[in-house]
Amino acid sequence: MMELNGRPVGVEELGALALYNYGHFTTMRVEDGRVRGLSLHLERLLGDCRVLHGADLDLDRVRHLVRRVATPGTPLIVRVTIFDPGLDLARPAVKAHPEILVSTRPVPGDLPPLVLGTTEYQRDLPEVKHSGLFGPVLHRRFALAGGYDDALFTDARGRVTEGPTWNIGFVRDGRVLWPENDRLPGVTMRLLQQVADRAGVPSAMAAVDLGDLPGMTAAFVTNSAIGVRPVRSIDGAELRPDEPIMTTLRREYAALPGEPL
């Protein structure tokens, strides 16, 4: 399902997004009219809209449009994309009129632990969740062709950053480590930092180099669609997908009450 400003979207209206891929989005899991970290998703949309479009965003309107597509009793993954259908490629600094595209997809089922391969890549403006997904999708394709389930990105110094559509956390010496290098500050990552603190699980931001990976006990990837998904191996180095700390994080995250739309 896809709606633009609460009505069916026409092909012509998607032209600017399809041809220029200039916009930003957030993806949330909606259950019974509630969203974990809703205020963080809205904060992201507002901040990114100011960066990419130089405009504010009506967040009450966003909430209304997400409520429209939410199905009672059926969890959904809802993506809210903000873009300007009238974007002028030659004059993108002209005052923007961003509009709200809402799309849905089913919640994924239980997923097996991931086998990851590292590759050097850094997204443009990594702190913004923008729609420029060419590079991430390309490297995911290369990873799949190489026998991995997905790609894990590193910067030019060999420091771990993020994945194509997720953040990554590591477990070492009884605590969770989050890569501090340039990467998207994911909503689910931020929520997990909060629940780890409440559950008494030590966590910290840290530089994680490629050379540190063999010393990690476990790793997991995280976003709003999948929650916490264990990693089985990185570049062939085996990890513990049944690490107890990850079990704690998954339990505490699942227990987080959603914010009402």
Side-chain angles (χ1 to χ4, degrees):
M1 192 287 306
M2 189 175 294
E3 291 185 345
L4 182 65
N5 300 321
R7 56 175 174 72
V9 61
V11 173
E12 296 81 4
E13 295 173 303
L14 293 175
L17 186 62
L19 294 173
Y20 311 144
N21 206 13
Y22 189 88
H24 63 95
F25 69 100
T26 197
T27 301
M28 59 187 80
R29 177 168 172 154
V30 181
E31 298 180 78
D32 297 322
R34 292 177 173 266
V35 176
R36 292 187 189 90
L38 176 62
S39 57
L40 297 177
H41 285 287
L42 296 175
E43 174 189 295
R44 163 189 284 164
L45 287 174
L46 180 60
D48 290 354
C49 193
R50 289 170 174 169
V51 171
L52 295 192
H53 300 295
D56 280 327
L57 185 65
D58 185 343
L59 297 182
D60 287 336
R61 179 69 171 156
V62 172
R63 295 170 79 134
H64 168 73
L65 294 175
V66 175
R67 281 198 302 270
R68 273 183 52 85
V69 303
T71 305
T74 304
L76 279 176
I77 304 300
V78 178
R79 170 170 161 159
V80 178
T81 303
I82 310 300
F83 75 106
D84 182 359
L87 177 70
D88 184 342
L89 185 61
R91 302 175 67 227
V94 172
K95 183 174 177 58
H97 298 281
E99 299 189 14
I100 305 167
L101 179 70
V102 177
S103 54
T104 65
R105 58 185 170 90
V107 170
D110 290 336
L111 299 169
L114 284 163
V115 175
L116 302 178
T118 60
T119 187
E120 182 183 325
Y121 175 74
Q122 187 167 9
R123 294 185 304 112
D124 294 329
L125 205 63
E127 65 273 16
V128 169
K129 195 174 179 71
H130 54 76
S131 58
L133 295 177
F134 172 80
V137 173
L138 179 68
H139 285 285
R140 174 171 282 170
R141 178 180 180 276
F142 288 160
L144 289 166
Y148 298 103
D149 296 322
D150 212 341
L152 174 60
F153 299 151
T154 66
D155 64 17
R157 297 173 295 175
R159 291 184 173 177
V160 173
T161 56
E162 59 186 350
T165 54
W166 39 257
N167 290 117
I168 189 166
F170 297 93
V171 179
R172 184 176 67 187
D173 299 328
R175 66 174 183 159
V176 176
L177 300 177
W178 300 98
E180 65 181 359
N181 296 82
D182 292 339
R183 45 96 182 104
L184 183 75
V187 168
T188 307
M189 180 186 78
R190 294 169 68 181
L191 293 176
L192 285 169
Q193 289 170 333
Q194 296 173 15
V195 301
D197 184 60
R198 287 200 293 269
V201 176
S203 66
M205 307 295 294
V208 178
D209 296 324
L210 281 171
D212 296 326
L213 297 183
M216 299 298 179
T217 305
F220 57 93
V221 307
T222 183
N223 64 27
S224 296
I226 60 176
V228 177
R229 184 177 180 182
V231 175
R232 182 174 301 281
S233 68
I234 301 175
D235 288 346
E238 294 294 322
L239 297 159
R240 286 186 56 187
D242 59 349
E243 162 61 43
I245 283 179
M246 288 193 296
T247 301
T248 298
L249 291 178
R250 296 178 84 168
R251 182 185 68 242
E252 296 298 321
Y253 177 73
L256 270 179
E259 300 173 48
L261 283 164

